[in-house]
Amino acid sequence: MNTTPSDTIALLVELVRRNSVTPDDKGCQAMIGERLARLGFVLESMPSGGVTNLWARLGTEAPLFAFAGHTDVVPTGNEEDWSSPPFAADIIDDHLVGRGAADMKGGVAAMVTAIERFVESGAHKHGSIALLLTSDEEGPATDGTTVVINKLEHRNEKIDYCIVGEPTSTNKLGDTIRHGRRGSLGATLIIRGIQGHVAYPHLADNPIHRAMPALNELTTIEWDKGNDHFPPTTLQISNFNAGTGATNVIPGQASVEFNLRYSPETSIEHIQSTIKELCSRHQLDTTLIWKDSARPFITTPGTLTQAMQQAIVSETGITATLDTGGGTSDGRFIAPTGAQTIEFGPINATIHQVNERVSCTDINSLTRIYESVLQQLLG
Ligand SMILES: [Zn+2]
């Protein structure tokens, strides 16, 4: 029996009704796993540190095509502010309202029913299909996709193509595919001086005064000019703290936090050595603590981007733009394995907001788009 588009919405309702606030999965993956097992998928649950992860695969041959997504959602905020309860999954004017509807249970539901339709119709001719799900995307992301990918790498199981179903569309379903993401590097910089009385500056060493010219230089560095796929690297200072509160005391230290969103034109090593050199040139007594939260990645336009663009244009008439904007996603863990990795999903206008919603028409279209990609690559 073929899965009809309304089965996607029925599944989406079931998923949204499970209040799987990160890192809870609330049985979402077990429910999906059961459906895939019926199609012959082999299921492997890979729990880690309280996080639920699922790797489900049908077939053993190459190429291996994988959908990837997350079943966890962000907290609702004040439930009273919602026009209908965040886990009721009410459908109002063709829009399903609920936490996680767009980010990203809509994408997950579409993947599952696209797989069902593709396999049940007998269209699956070669290669393997997999689904990777985690409940740790909205949280620290240390026990989720990265754990599954490490296991696969360890046993030499290679993903060739991966679609992450994050909500990438901006104004219309199909306008944006992400084929890469910028890197994210954070730092805490402690600048030490010597505390003293403002009337006796010769006995003190003011870390604020020392920091100012160095920070000025830091914020005016041109790291790169970006490239065809990436905007230029940027650095933003997010916190600057110093002072004892008293107006007659030179503080003993200042602390600065900053973050870089960087393109592959600049390496993390180059950023770190440049900033170290700047601190020593300004004769600062510092401690620098780095947080390497995401490396940049890019999937050069090819088989996968073309299949996705083709699927989108035939469903919606829209020629999708390839883009690398936005924050970080789990694509950062998958792309380094060499898999062609792209993200495509519904409109992201309401994600993480009160009254998060997704268009049912769009989710039904998305299902057909995913099915068409499967058809092109494995049919
Ligand atoms: Zn998401």
Side-chain angles (χ1 to χ4, degrees):
M1 198 184 73
N2 274 353
T3 305
T4 57
S6 60
D7 284 347
T8 310
I9 303 304
L11 174 56
L12 176 55
V13 167
E14 280 193 70
L15 291 171
V16 170
R17 287 195 177 148
R18 291 167 192 256
N19 59 338
S20 53
V21 175
T22 190
D24 270 344
D25 164 69
K26 285 279 164 41
C28 292
Q29 293 177 29
M31 178 176 68
I32 291 167
E34 230 171 78
R35 292 173 72 135
L36 296 180
R38 262 183 255 145
L39 301 173
F41 277 69
V42 176
L43 308 184
E44 278 179 84
S45 108
M46 299 183 182
S48 173
V51 166
T52 311
N53 299 308
L54 175 69
W55 173 249
R57 176 170 177 161
L58 177 70
T60 51
E61 354 161 346
L64 171 58
F65 173 96
F67 282 116
H70 60 89
T71 49
D72 58 328
V73 301
V74 295
T76 59
N78 189 0
E79 293 201 21
E80 327 278 81
D81 295 339
W82 287 66
S83 61
S84 59
F87 300 110
D90 287 342
I91 296 174
I92 301 158
D93 296 333
D94 184 52
H95 282 76
L96 190 145
V97 181
R99 174 55 81 227
D103 185 9
M104 61 166 278
K105 289 176 171 175
V108 168
M111 291 168 180
V112 172
T113 53
I115 292 171
E116 286 175 343
R117 283 201 242 167
F118 180 63
V119 173
E120 284 173 356
S121 69
H124 181 201
K125 298 285 190 257
H126 71 284
S128 306
I129 311 171
L131 178 65
L132 190 171
L133 291 175
T134 181
S135 68
D136 181 34
E137 199 275 344
E138 301 290 7
T142 48
D143 286 291
T145 301
T146 185
V147 167
V148 179
I149 291 297
N150 283 342
K151 269 204 179 141
L152 297 180
E153 289 267 273
H154 196 70
R155 63 193 193 199
N156 213 14
E157 192 170 348
K158 283 262 168 242
I159 300 175
D160 297 285
Y161 307 109
C162 182
I163 294 178
V164 184
E166 290 285 359
T168 56
S169 298
T170 309
N171 298 310
K172 280 202 159 106
L173 178 75
D175 58 11
T176 310
I177 298 169
R178 293 215 200 290
H179 68 131
R181 295 268 189 171
R182 291 175 294 177
S184 172
L185 176 66
T188 304
L189 172 64
I190 310 283
I191 300 159
R192 279 176 296 274
I194 298 169
Q195 185 176 320
H197 194 299
V198 293
Y200 300 85
H202 55 288
L203 299 177
D205 182 0
N206 193 325
I208 301 175
H209 293 193
R210 282 188 175 276
M212 285 196 299
L215 294 181
N216 183 50
E217 188 180 327
L218 183 67
T219 56
T220 51
I221 294 172
E222 185 187 76
W223 296 96
D224 57 53
K225 295 186 188 308
N227 61 27
D228 286 352
H229 304 299
F230 288 88
T233 296
T234 59
L235 178 148
Q236 288 295 312
I237 295 175
S238 57
N239 287 282
F240 181 46
N241 292 298
T244 61
T247 54
N248 59 354
V249 177
I250 293 167
Q253 71 170 41
S255 105
V256 185
E257 284 177 287
F258 57 88
N259 178 278
L260 291 105
R261 293 299 158 113
Y262 64 103
S263 83
E265 296 293 313
T266 299
S267 70
I268 185 167
E269 293 77 17
H270 174 71
I271 293 170
Q272 290 177 327
S273 65
T274 303
I275 293 175
K276 254 193 184 157
E277 185 279 327
L278 187 151
C279 289
S280 77
R281 190 158 33 79
H282 285 266
Q283 297 175 324
L284 302 181
D285 175 10
T286 62
T287 303
L288 248 176
I289 304 151
W290 298 100
K291 186 161 192 283
D292 173 10
S293 40
R295 298 290 173 106
F297 71 89
I298 185 83
T299 291
T300 31
T303 315
L304 184 60
T305 57
Q306 278 162 17
M308 181 55 90
Q309 281 181 311
Q310 173 56 41
I312 291 170
V313 79
S314 57
E315 173 67 26
T316 66
I318 293 171
T319 303
T321 305
L322 296 175
D323 167 286
T324 60
T328 62
S329 85
D330 276 2
R332 72 191 135 137
F333 303 121
I334 303 164
T337 67
Q340 291 187 35
T341 306
I342 59 170
E343 301 170 37
F344 178 70
I347 293 174
N348 53 31
T350 61
I351 60 172
H352 295 207
Q353 295 182 8
V354 159
N355 294 328
E356 177 178 348
R357 62 188 57 221
V358 77
S359 150
C360 294
T361 303
D362 283 359
I363 293 300
N364 288 328
S365 289
L366 183 63
T367 309
R368 289 189 288 270
I369 291 168
Y370 286 160
E371 191 189 359
S372 160
V373 174
L374 283 170
Q375 178 66 45
Q376 292 176 66
L377 297 176
L378 305 181

